Short mmCIF file of all heavy atoms in Angstrom, two decimals:
data_model
loop_
_atom_site.label_atom_id
_atom_site.label_comp_id
_atom_site.label_asym_id
_atom_site.label_seq_id
_atom_site.Cartn_x
_atom_site.Cartn_y
_atom_site.Cartn_z
N ILE A 89 15.66 0.37 15.18
CA ILE A 89 16.77 1.30 15.79
C ILE A 89 18.08 0.32 16.04
O ILE A 89 17.96 -0.71 16.63
CB ILE A 89 16.18 1.77 17.16
CG1 ILE A 89 14.89 2.50 16.90
CG2 ILE A 89 17.13 2.67 17.88
CD1 ILE A 89 14.09 2.88 18.19
N GLU A 90 19.15 1.03 15.72
CA GLU A 90 20.45 0.48 15.98
C GLU A 90 20.85 0.74 17.36
O GLU A 90 20.90 1.84 17.95
CB GLU A 90 21.44 0.97 15.02
CG GLU A 90 22.88 0.50 15.10
CD GLU A 90 23.02 -0.86 14.53
OE1 GLU A 90 22.29 -1.14 13.61
OE2 GLU A 90 24.10 -1.50 14.86
N THR A 91 21.18 -0.36 18.17
CA THR A 91 21.75 -0.15 19.56
C THR A 91 22.93 -0.83 19.60
O THR A 91 23.54 -1.39 18.56
CB THR A 91 20.79 -0.84 20.61
OG1 THR A 91 20.99 -2.30 20.62
CG2 THR A 91 19.23 -0.55 20.28
N ALA A 92 23.65 -0.61 20.78
CA ALA A 92 25.08 -1.08 20.96
C ALA A 92 25.08 -2.71 20.76
O ALA A 92 26.13 -3.29 20.47
CB ALA A 92 25.71 -0.70 22.28
N PRO A 109 15.06 6.98 20.97
CA PRO A 109 15.72 6.29 22.00
C PRO A 109 16.86 5.39 21.49
O PRO A 109 16.72 4.97 20.37
CB PRO A 109 14.58 5.40 22.64
CG PRO A 109 13.70 5.31 21.61
CD PRO A 109 13.70 6.45 20.77
N LYS A 110 17.99 5.25 22.18
CA LYS A 110 19.19 4.48 21.61
C LYS A 110 19.55 3.22 22.34
O LYS A 110 20.19 2.29 21.68
CB LYS A 110 20.31 5.46 21.66
CG LYS A 110 20.20 6.54 20.45
CD LYS A 110 20.25 5.79 19.03
CE LYS A 110 20.22 6.81 17.89
NZ LYS A 110 20.05 6.05 16.63
N SER A 111 19.32 3.15 23.64
CA SER A 111 19.68 2.03 24.42
C SER A 111 18.52 1.00 24.45
O SER A 111 17.25 1.33 24.29
CB SER A 111 20.05 2.29 25.80
OG SER A 111 19.00 2.68 26.51
N ILE A 112 18.64 -0.29 24.69
CA ILE A 112 17.69 -1.27 24.90
C ILE A 112 16.71 -0.85 25.89
O ILE A 112 15.35 -0.82 25.73
CB ILE A 112 18.20 -2.65 25.19
CG1 ILE A 112 18.98 -3.31 24.04
CG2 ILE A 112 16.96 -3.63 25.68
CD1 ILE A 112 17.90 -3.65 22.97
N GLY A 113 17.17 -0.38 27.09
CA GLY A 113 16.32 0.02 28.19
C GLY A 113 15.36 1.26 27.87
O GLY A 113 14.23 1.18 28.08
N GLU A 114 16.04 2.23 27.08
CA GLU A 114 15.28 3.35 26.74
C GLU A 114 14.07 3.05 25.74
O GLU A 114 13.07 3.42 25.77
CB GLU A 114 16.14 4.39 25.98
CG GLU A 114 17.06 5.08 26.93
CD GLU A 114 18.01 5.99 26.22
OE1 GLU A 114 18.21 5.82 25.01
OE2 GLU A 114 18.57 6.86 26.85
N ILE A 115 14.42 2.03 24.71
CA ILE A 115 13.43 1.62 23.77
C ILE A 115 12.15 0.90 24.44
O ILE A 115 11.09 1.11 24.20
CB ILE A 115 14.09 0.80 22.73
CG1 ILE A 115 15.23 1.56 21.89
CG2 ILE A 115 13.10 0.06 21.75
CD1 ILE A 115 16.01 0.69 21.04
N ILE A 116 12.69 -0.08 25.32
CA ILE A 116 11.55 -0.77 26.07
C ILE A 116 10.68 0.15 26.89
O ILE A 116 9.43 0.12 26.79
CB ILE A 116 12.24 -1.87 27.00
CG1 ILE A 116 12.81 -2.95 26.14
CG2 ILE A 116 11.11 -2.46 27.94
CD1 ILE A 116 13.64 -3.97 26.90
N GLU A 147 20.80 -7.88 28.01
CA GLU A 147 19.98 -6.76 28.22
C GLU A 147 18.57 -6.78 27.46
O GLU A 147 17.62 -6.13 27.79
CB GLU A 147 20.55 -5.48 27.78
CG GLU A 147 21.81 -5.15 28.52
CD GLU A 147 22.59 -3.99 27.98
OE1 GLU A 147 21.91 -2.99 27.94
OE2 GLU A 147 23.61 -4.14 27.44
#
Side-chain angles (χ1 to χ4, degrees):
I89 305 169
E90 180 81 18
T91 77
K110 284 297 184 182
S111 71
I112 289 287
E114 288 175 344
I115 294 167
I116 291 171
E147 298 174 62

